[in-house]
PDB file of all heavy atoms in Angstrom:
ATOM      1  N   ASP B 247     -55.993 104.963 -16.730  1.00 73.00           N
ATOM      2  CA  ASP B 247     -55.574 105.267 -18.155  1.00 73.00           C
ATOM      3  C   ASP B 247     -56.671 106.264 -18.793  1.00 73.00           C
ATOM      4  O   ASP B 247     -57.771 105.798 -18.993  1.00 73.00           O
ATOM      5  CB  ASP B 247     -55.539 103.932 -18.930  1.00 73.00           C
ATOM      6  CG  ASP B 247     -54.950 104.224 -20.351  1.00 73.00           C
ATOM      7  OD1 ASP B 247     -54.703 105.362 -20.810  1.00 73.00           O
ATOM      8  OD2 ASP B 247     -54.793 103.294 -20.939  1.00 73.00           O
ATOM      9  N   ARG B 248     -56.332 107.397 -18.999  1.00 69.00           N
ATOM     10  CA  ARG B 248     -57.187 108.455 -19.586  1.00 69.00           C
ATOM     11  C   ARG B 248     -57.524 108.157 -21.076  1.00 69.00           C
ATOM     12  O   ARG B 248     -58.547 108.719 -21.627  1.00 69.00           O
ATOM     13  CB  ARG B 248     -56.710 109.815 -19.396  1.00 69.00           C
ATOM     14  CG  ARG B 248     -55.353 110.135 -20.125  1.00 69.00           C
ATOM     15  CD  ARG B 248     -54.911 111.508 -19.765  1.00 69.00           C
ATOM     16  NE  ARG B 248     -54.893 111.842 -18.316  1.00 69.00           N
ATOM     17  CZ  ARG B 248     -54.383 112.939 -17.920  1.00 69.00           C
ATOM     18  NH1 ARG B 248     -54.039 113.918 -18.661  1.00 69.00           N
ATOM     19  NH2 ARG B 248     -54.345 113.050 -16.518  1.00 69.00           N
ATOM     20  N   GLU B 249     -56.781 107.361 -21.701  1.00 70.00           N
ATOM     21  CA  GLU B 249     -57.014 107.020 -23.135  1.00 70.00           C
ATOM     22  C   GLU B 249     -58.259 105.975 -23.207  1.00 70.00           C
ATOM     23  O   GLU B 249     -58.911 105.942 -24.258  1.00 70.00           O
ATOM     24  CB  GLU B 249     -55.863 106.236 -23.759  1.00 70.00           C
ATOM     25  CG  GLU B 249     -54.659 107.178 -23.847  1.00 70.00           C
ATOM     26  CD  GLU B 249     -54.619 108.260 -24.905  1.00 70.00           C
ATOM     27  OE1 GLU B 249     -55.470 108.057 -25.840  1.00 70.00           O
ATOM     28  OE2 GLU B 249     -53.859 109.119 -24.849  1.00 70.00           O
ATOM     29  N   LEU B 250     -58.416 105.270 -22.120  1.00 76.00           N
ATOM     30  CA  LEU B 250     -59.379 104.252 -22.106  1.00 76.00           C
ATOM     31  C   LEU B 250     -60.773 104.697 -22.255  1.00 76.00           C
ATOM     32  O   LEU B 250     -61.217 105.693 -21.544  1.00 76.00           O
ATOM     33  CB  LEU B 250     -59.299 103.479 -20.764  1.00 76.00           C
ATOM     34  CG  LEU B 250     -59.366 101.928 -20.961  1.00 76.00           C
ATOM     35  CD1 LEU B 250     -58.365 101.363 -21.787  1.00 76.00           C
ATOM     36  CD2 LEU B 250     -59.354 101.355 -19.427  1.00 76.00           C
ATOM     37  N   LEU B 251     -61.628 104.191 -23.126  1.00 79.00           N
ATOM     38  CA  LEU B 251     -63.011 104.774 -23.362  1.00 79.00           C
ATOM     39  C   LEU B 251     -63.967 104.370 -22.186  1.00 79.00           C
ATOM     40  O   LEU B 251     -65.075 105.006 -22.121  1.00 79.00           O
ATOM     41  CB  LEU B 251     -63.601 104.139 -24.747  1.00 79.00           C
ATOM     42  CG  LEU B 251     -62.861 104.720 -25.824  1.00 79.00           C
ATOM     43  CD1 LEU B 251     -63.253 103.984 -27.146  1.00 79.00           C
ATOM     44  CD2 LEU B 251     -63.104 106.159 -26.063  1.00 79.00           C
ATOM     45  N   PHE B 252     -63.503 103.565 -21.248  1.00 84.00           N
ATOM     46  CA  PHE B 252     -64.418 103.281 -20.092  1.00 84.00           C
ATOM     47  C   PHE B 252     -64.521 104.535 -19.176  1.00 84.00           C
ATOM     48  O   PHE B 252     -65.490 104.647 -18.441  1.00 84.00           O
ATOM     49  CB  PHE B 252     -63.748 102.208 -19.117  1.00 84.00           C
ATOM     50  CG  PHE B 252     -64.184 100.817 -19.571  1.00 84.00           C
ATOM     51  CD1 PHE B 252     -63.361 100.013 -20.352  1.00 84.00           C
ATOM     52  CD2 PHE B 252     -65.518 100.475 -19.251  1.00 84.00           C
ATOM     53  CE1 PHE B 252     -63.887  98.648 -20.829  1.00 84.00           C
ATOM     54  CE2 PHE B 252     -65.987  99.123 -19.750  1.00 84.00           C
ATOM     55  CZ  PHE B 252     -65.130  98.394 -20.483  1.00 84.00           C
ATOM     56  N   VAL B 253     -63.565 105.521 -19.352  1.00 84.00           N
ATOM     57  CA  VAL B 253     -63.708 106.848 -18.717  1.00 84.00           C
ATOM     58  C   VAL B 253     -64.990 107.396 -19.132  1.00 84.00           C
ATOM     59  O   VAL B 253     -65.871 107.965 -18.363  1.00 84.00           O
ATOM     60  CB  VAL B 253     -62.531 107.651 -18.991  1.00 84.00           C
ATOM     61  CG1 VAL B 253     -62.677 109.147 -18.421  1.00 84.00           C
ATOM     62  CG2 VAL B 253     -61.184 107.085 -18.282  1.00 84.00           C
ATOM     63  N   ASP B 254     -65.201 107.444 -20.471  1.00 88.00           N
ATOM     64  CA  ASP B 254     -66.369 108.033 -21.056  1.00 88.00           C
ATOM     65  C   ASP B 254     -67.695 107.302 -20.537  1.00 88.00           C
ATOM     66  O   ASP B 254     -68.757 107.924 -20.161  1.00 88.00           O
ATOM     67  CB  ASP B 254     -66.374 108.073 -22.551  1.00 88.00           C
ATOM     68  CG  ASP B 254     -65.041 108.499 -23.118  1.00 88.00           C
ATOM     69  OD1 ASP B 254     -63.965 108.316 -22.391  1.00 88.00           O
ATOM     70  OD2 ASP B 254     -65.039 109.212 -24.123  1.00 88.00           O
ATOM     71  N   PHE B 255     -67.494 105.951 -20.595  1.00 90.00           N
ATOM     72  CA  PHE B 255     -68.706 105.147 -20.306  1.00 90.00           C
ATOM     73  C   PHE B 255     -69.074 105.404 -18.851  1.00 90.00           C
ATOM     74  O   PHE B 255     -70.302 105.671 -18.574  1.00 90.00           O
ATOM     75  CB  PHE B 255     -68.391 103.738 -20.525  1.00 90.00           C
ATOM     76  CG  PHE B 255     -69.520 102.666 -20.102  1.00 90.00           C
ATOM     77  CD1 PHE B 255     -70.663 102.687 -20.858  1.00 90.00           C
ATOM     78  CD2 PHE B 255     -69.381 102.053 -18.926  1.00 90.00           C
ATOM     79  CE1 PHE B 255     -71.746 101.888 -20.353  1.00 90.00           C
ATOM     80  CE2 PHE B 255     -70.347 101.222 -18.522  1.00 90.00           C
ATOM     81  CZ  PHE B 255     -71.518 101.114 -19.313  1.00 90.00           C
TER      82      PHE B 255
END
Side-chain angles (χ1 to χ4, degrees):
Chain B
D247 187 355
R248 60 184 55 178
E249 300 283 342
L250 221 59
L251 290 170
F252 271 104
V253 171
D254 312 32
F255 173 71

